[in-house]
Amino acid sequence: MDLDALIEERFAVLDRVPVGTCVLDPDYIVRHWNRRFESWTGIPRADIQGKRITEFVPSLDDPKYTDRLKIIFAGGPPAMFSSLLHKHVIPAPLKDGTMRIQDTTVSPIPTPEGEGFWALLVAEDVTDLSRRVQDYREMRDRAVGVVRERERAEGLLTRSEKQFRGLFESATVFIHLLDTEGRIQQSNPAAIQGTGYTREELLGRHITDTLSPQCREAFMTQLPFLLKGETRRREMEVLCRDGKAITVDCAASPIRGDDEEVSSIVVIQRNITAQKRAEEELHRAIELARAANEAKSEFLANMSHEIRTPMNAIIGMTDLVLGTDLDPTQREYLNMALSAGESLLRVINDILDFSKIEAGKLELDPIEFNIRQPFKDTLNVLLVKAQAKGIRLSAQIPDDVPEELIGDPGRLRQILTNLIGNAIKFTEEGSVDVEVSVLKQAAGRLELQIAVKDTGIGIPPEVQKSVFEAFAQADGSTTRRFGGTGLGLTISGKLVEMMGGRIWVESQPGQGSTFYFTCKFQTPGHALSAPEVLWDCEGARILIVDGDARRRATTCEWVANWDMEPIGVGTRPTAMIALEEALRVERPFGAVLVSHPMAGLDGFLLAEQVKEHPQLTDTTVVLLTAAGNPGDARRARDLGISAYLTKAHEEAILIRGLLQSLAAGPNPRRLITRHTLREGHGHHRILLLSDSKAERARTHRLLDCFGYAVKALEADPRALDTVGDQEQHDLIILDIRSRCPGGAAAVRALGERGLRLGRPVRILALVSASRLEEGQLLIEPDVDEFHERPSRSRDLLTLVDQAITPSDQSKTA
């Protein structure tokens, strides 16, 4: 249901109340104008709803009203007393131009969406009553001024009494005249008829006898102030003769005698029972709407989780199968399935984030991170799409942007992915550029401005604001042509707001768009140390907990390849038994790898049980998952988990995370994640040339995960044309699996390029065992190191580290 329909449904009850009601939002826009106001003012609902109230009631621009309304829009408090609360007599013009006086009550009401407050104005035409009261007071003042002139005073007094009596008898509100003790001296017909008492029953009775018990003490506390000449106003509850209670707006004012002393008190009570009932019905309706909205959000969240759990399993198992020997057709089909699964998971995550936004439960997970890494990760993921369309993709981060910040890199990547992904989607040719600049930096805080510029189709000015609304697209054909749920920008806007920033767009149709957003970070009080890796892990006992037998066996094999001792179990009870038995025989496990989710078990629950065990508190726990969920990192850190690794069913990620966890110990200063794994050797640049596409991708992932900056190309001289002269590398790896002539030509081309540029680079050649003899003849003479390609990842990383070390030493010599 859209907002207008929701407003019409929720406020329809106000059309049945006998007083004028109007609902305003914080921009003074009229959201509801009831039928009583239409008939009273002559202003039709269609003419005023959706417009500023001040166009029709200019007096509301007066600060004494606007200041009160600001308090109301902030949430209260409700009106209680006349001079201190939000009740005013406001002059308002009718449609024919005449002025009327309305007695207006202003109260805060929650918005239909449940975020913030609107103002409910309840008004009653008191023009005639106000004029008569004013006339009476003027006459009384004149009578007091000429009291010494008996003849004129008698005439004025007689006329004043008649007018007062006429007002007193004809008023529709309850009027009681009290003595200074609070006893009723006179009551007008409206009070007699409204309460059911006779005139005789009221005369001489104390006013508190007509009030509910809870209001009697309140009136008595105000009596001393009335006797001092002050006016008081508040809501009271009047008890009628038949026991029924009615709510009144009660105003009490003192009347002074000839000696200027208070001689009596006038109490005016306006029946607002219908108004209060309308407000209560409105509040109930809003509460029901809020409950329905929360139920919808909870349903979306539950359904998203129910769908995401099997999707994570599908993605994880597909990723695992891709790591096995496959023919090209099988690999193509599985990559298509993996891509489709990840796309569906992104849609599910968007729905879950949107439901959390509506429920107000979306949270950030701040950690220490390298600010450049989220940009690198996002561009690496989207580069393939950009290249497929022939679009240039770049990011400019100036040197004055600090390396280390504290914030939520996952949510920053989500914003960047949405904005850059949209830019690529709506750009047919040209470029997409990301620019970062520092807005403010002081006292451990930093504010950045990030701009995503494209040369795409642009956005018309009239729809630029709506693109940040949920499910919105620039026009109806956008979804059909480009796809998408329309939630990305809504979620990004909320995330930017949570990061203390704002988001906006500048665009012209046909000239591209620039999306800007700002966000605030903290700067750590210390430099982030480079992640340490425990290379000497021989003999370390590792408990692997995974409900999938095949995946468990694969993980055990990877761990064993690094000379560690893996023990695999499939359930939580057996895991706890294994841990306790290891303590008993005094051979504790160095770490526990927990796969999450496992069949019938939440990996977090097992980690929590391990950490709560009095003898296992210092156990290093590494949580492995195919795809992370928002908030998981915060939960892992709170439980004392050392590492939380997404897509961890790749050997490089799993082993790197395990080695860092072993080095950091059971209580690391910061959570190890897939993101932090890349912060180790980022200053080492490697050019990888391989004649096997699959092996080139696997080696690239391995080196990238262990912190090296890698550029991977085919082992062919023509591929080297894509390497610019300004690019510098610390090591070139030539990985040859098939016949060697192409590799030999690449080696010669590399040698000539190094000589031409005056920058010779070390070359590490790796050749399969079947081509070893051929490689020794054709390649070995032209390279710095020549080796048979290691079968274990650990041995490959050792060769790379040793090959780079001489390069480092020569730079520092």
Side-chain angles (χ1 to χ4, degrees):
M1 183 181 295
D2 60 27
L3 182 59
D4 289 339
L6 184 59
I7 291 172
E8 187 64 29
E9 178 183 334
R10 299 302 178 233
F11 296 151
V13 67
L14 298 180
D15 284 330
R16 301 197 294 269
V17 300
V19 293
T21 63
C22 169
V23 179
L24 299 180
D25 68 17
D27 294 323
Y28 287 61
I29 301 300
V30 177
R31 293 295 189 171
H32 185 76
W33 185 262
N34 80 337
R35 301 301 182 190
R36 179 72 179 94
F37 255 143
E38 280 189 317
S39 63
W40 174 38
T41 63
I43 302 173
R45 178 184 296 182
D47 290 351
I48 192 169
Q49 279 191 180
K51 298 180 181 178
R52 284 179 60 87
I53 186 69
T54 50
E55 295 179 23
F56 302 84
V57 187
S59 59
L60 282 179
D61 264 336
D62 191 310
K64 70 181 180 183
Y65 301 131
T66 57
D67 290 345
R68 293 297 186 184
L69 285 172
K70 287 178 182 178
I71 298 174
I72 293 299
F73 292 134
M80 296 298 289
F81 299 112
S82 173
S83 61
L84 300 177
L85 307 174
H86 320 304
K87 297 192 175 187
H88 306 280
V89 177
I90 303 175
L94 302 186
K95 195 166 185 180
D96 61 4
T98 60
M99 297 295 294
R100 303 291 290 178
I101 303 298
Q102 55 181 339
D103 187 0
T104 304
T105 301
V106 189
S107 305
I109 58 171
T111 66
E113 301 94 334
E115 296 181 358
F117 294 90
W118 288 353
L120 173 65
L121 283 71
V122 179
E124 185 171 355
D125 187 359
V126 295
T127 305
D128 296 335
L129 177 61
S130 177
R131 289 173 180 170
R132 291 177 183 178
V133 170
Q134 183 63 30
D135 289 343
Y136 163 73
R137 289 176 175 172
E138 290 176 358
M139 292 180 180
R140 185 196 64 189
D141 292 341
R142 285 197 297 269
V144 171
V146 296
V147 69
R148 297 179 178 85
E149 301 177 25
R150 294 180 58 90
E151 292 181 359
R152 293 185 60 189
E154 289 176 359
L156 290 173
L157 183 58
T158 301
R159 188 161 57 251
S160 176
E161 288 177 349
K162 289 181 179 180
Q163 289 180 341
F164 175 76
R165 177 57 57 183
L167 172 64
F168 185 78
E169 296 291 335
S170 62
T172 57
V173 296
F174 306 169
I175 302 178
H176 301 285
L177 287 178
L178 313 180
D179 62 19
T180 54
E181 294 181 356
R183 299 187 180 279
I184 299 174
Q185 302 300 305
Q186 293 188 58
S187 296
N188 75 335
I192 294 170
Q193 182 179 357
T195 62
Y197 292 102
T198 65
R199 188 181 302 275
E200 290 72 19
E201 288 174 327
L202 287 175
L203 292 180
R205 197 168 193 169
H206 201 282
I207 186 68
T208 56
D209 292 342
T210 66
L211 302 177
S212 64
Q214 61 268 30
C215 293
R216 292 170 186 170
E217 184 177 353
F219 181 87
M220 293 306 296
T221 59
Q222 303 306 313
L223 186 57
F225 297 97
L226 294 168
L227 296 178
K228 292 178 182 179
E230 298 180 16
T231 298
R232 285 291 186 265
R233 184 173 185 176
R234 65 166 296 163
E235 286 183 7
M236 292 280 186
E237 194 171 62
V238 171
L239 291 179
C240 299
R241 192 174 189 276
D242 59 6
K244 181 179 69 175
I246 59 175
T247 304
V248 297
D249 176 19
C250 180
S253 300
I255 298 177
R256 298 182 183 275
D258 296 344
D259 55 0
E260 295 298 319
E261 294 294 327
V262 175
S263 60
S264 57
I265 299 170
V266 60
V267 175
I268 301 177
Q269 299 171 332
R270 181 167 61 89
N271 190 343
I272 58 172
T273 304
Q275 171 191 326
K276 297 298 292 185
R277 188 179 299 116
E279 290 178 1
E280 290 171 0
E281 291 179 3
L282 180 59
H283 282 297
R284 281 195 295 270
I286 291 174
E287 287 301 320
L288 288 173
R290 183 181 293 113
N293 189 54
E294 290 178 356
K296 179 197 69 176
S297 298
E298 184 176 354
F299 171 77
L300 285 174
N302 290 337
M303 286 304 299
S304 296
H305 281 298
E306 291 296 327
I307 298 172
R308 188 163 57 182
T309 298
M311 280 305 306
N312 283 336
I314 292 170
I315 292 172
M317 295 307 297
T318 303
D319 201 33
L320 191 62
V321 175
L322 282 170
T324 63
D325 293 331
L326 301 169
D327 63 43
T329 302
Q330 291 172 326
R331 186 171 297 278
E332 179 183 0
Y333 290 166
L334 284 173
N335 277 320
M336 292 170 62
L338 182 62
S339 176
E342 290 176 340
S343 296
L344 178 57
L345 191 59
R346 282 193 294 271
V347 173
I348 294 170
N349 284 336
D350 280 349
I351 295 173
L352 180 58
D353 281 345
F354 183 67
S355 68
K356 285 186 175 181
I357 288 173
E358 287 194 319
K361 296 180 180 178
L362 191 67
E363 296 180 352
L364 297 179
D365 188 12
I367 61 173
E368 297 176 352
F369 72 105
N370 186 312
I371 185 63
R372 285 161 174 76
Q373 196 65 45
F375 291 88
K376 174 186 173 184
D377 292 344
T378 304
L379 264 63
N380 285 343
V381 169
L382 298 175
L383 184 60
V384 175
K385 291 183 179 179
Q387 290 177 340
K389 299 181 72 173
I391 298 170
R392 181 176 61 83
L393 184 60
S394 69
Q396 301 293 328
I397 305 178
D399 293 337
D400 63 341
V401 176
E403 290 281 342
E404 299 93 12
L405 296 175
I406 298 175
D408 190 334
R411 294 301 187 182
L412 177 59
R413 276 194 297 271
Q414 186 176 357
I415 298 169
L416 292 172
T417 300
N418 279 329
L419 296 183
I420 300 174
N422 280 349
I424 294 173
K425 182 193 302 185
F426 297 112
T427 300
E428 297 300 331
E429 59 181 2
S431 64
V432 174
D433 301 301
V434 183
E435 297 178 359
V436 183
S437 59
V438 176
L439 288 183
K440 298 176 184 177
Q441 183 174 7
R445 297 184 178 275
L446 177 76
E447 184 174 4
L448 296 180
Q449 176 176 293
I450 301 165
V452 179
K453 302 180 179 180
D454 66 60
T455 56
I457 60 176
I459 305 172
E462 62 271 15
V463 297
Q464 288 180 12
K465 288 186 178 180
S466 67
V467 298
F468 296 105
E469 299 174 0
F471 309 107
Q473 298 278 19
D475 58 65
S477 65
T478 301
T479 301
R480 295 191 299 274
R481 181 181 176 189
F482 296 103
T485 61
L487 289 175
L489 288 177
T490 302
I491 295 170
S492 296
K494 181 62 178 178
L495 292 175
V496 167
E497 181 182 332
M498 293 174 66
M499 291 181 177
R502 64 188 187 96
I503 189 170
W504 71 98
V505 61
E506 296 177 0
S507 179
Q508 289 294 331
Q511 299 180 21
S513 305
T514 301
F515 280 83
Y516 296 91
F517 71 94
T518 63
C519 46
K520 296 177 181 178
F521 302 93
Q522 291 179 302
T523 54
H526 54 274
L528 297 182
S529 58
E532 296 181 3
V533 175
L534 181 64
W535 295 98
D536 185 14
C537 55
E538 183 176 353
R541 302 185 76 224
I542 309 298
L543 180 63
I544 298 167
V545 189
D546 194 330
D548 186 282
R550 180 174 296 181
R551 190 168 60 194
R552 185 170 66 248
T554 301
T555 304
C556 287
E557 181 182 348
W558 289 342
V559 171
N561 286 340
W562 286 74
D563 297 329
M564 291 179 275
E565 182 183 342
I567 305 295
V569 297
T571 65
R572 179 188 59 79
T574 53
M576 294 305 299
I577 291 172
L579 287 166
E580 291 172 349
E581 177 64 17
L583 290 174
R584 189 185 67 80
V585 299
E586 297 183 352
R587 292 192 64 204
F589 287 99
V592 181
L593 301 185
V594 184
S595 184
H596 170 78
M598 295 185 294
L601 173 64
D602 184 338
F604 280 107
L605 296 180
L606 175 57
E608 184 176 4
Q609 188 172 2
V610 170
K611 287 296 184 178
E612 289 180 349
H613 192 289
Q615 294 177 284
L616 298 174
T617 303
D618 291 334
T619 302
T620 296
V621 179
V622 177
L623 200 67
L624 314 174
T625 181
N629 299 328
D632 279 357
R634 180 191 296 273
R635 187 180 178 189
R637 191 166 51 250
D638 292 343
L639 289 175
I641 293 172
S642 298
Y644 174 75
L645 304 175
T646 58
K647 294 190 177 179
H649 300 299
E650 296 180 13
E651 180 184 4
I653 295 173
L654 185 148
I655 296 300
R656 171 80 170 175
L658 175 59
L659 295 178
Q660 280 195 15
S661 299
L662 290 172
N667 299 299
R669 184 172 56 84
R670 62 171 174 158
L671 182 68
I672 297 169
T673 65
R674 183 184 177 93
H675 172 76
T676 64
L677 294 181
R678 296 188 172 91
E679 297 179 0
H681 302 281
H683 60 286
H684 290 311
R685 296 177 174 83
I686 295 177
L687 178 61
L688 172 63
L689 304 175
S690 176
D691 60 353
S692 169
K693 182 177 181 181
E695 193 58 37
R696 184 164 63 246
R698 194 183 79 85
T699 305
H700 187 179
R701 287 198 304 272
L702 175 67
L703 295 174
D704 181 67
C705 181
F706 274 79
Y708 295 102
V710 183
K711 182 170 186 175
L713 299 172
E714 185 179 358
D716 189 295
R718 291 171 295 183
L720 296 177
D721 294 338
T722 63
V723 181
D725 289 345
Q726 301 302 317
E727 295 186 39
Q728 299 186 30
H729 300 93
D730 300 294
L731 179 67
I732 297 174
I733 300 176
L734 183 63
D735 187 3
I736 303 300
R737 290 277 171 160
S738 57
R739 297 181 66 253
C740 294
V747 168
R748 287 191 293 273
L750 288 170
E752 294 171 359
R753 183 174 182 272
L755 291 174
R756 175 170 56 83
L757 297 175
R759 291 199 309 263
V761 182
R762 292 182 61 80
I763 301 177
L764 170 63
L766 305 174
V767 181
S768 63
S770 62
R771 301 291 178 184
L772 189 61
E773 184 177 347
E774 182 181 3
Q776 288 175 327
L777 292 174
L778 295 177
I779 296 178
E780 187 173 13
D782 298 312
V783 301
D784 297 285
E785 295 189 35
F786 181 87
H787 297 277
E788 180 182 344
R789 194 186 198 289
S791 59
R792 299 195 311 173
S793 299
R794 178 181 183 179
D795 296 334
L796 174 60
L797 288 168
T798 301
L799 284 177
V800 171
D801 190 61
Q802 292 174 347
I804 283 182
T805 301
S807 176
D808 287 343
Q809 292 174 346
S810 65
K811 291 177 184 178
T812 58

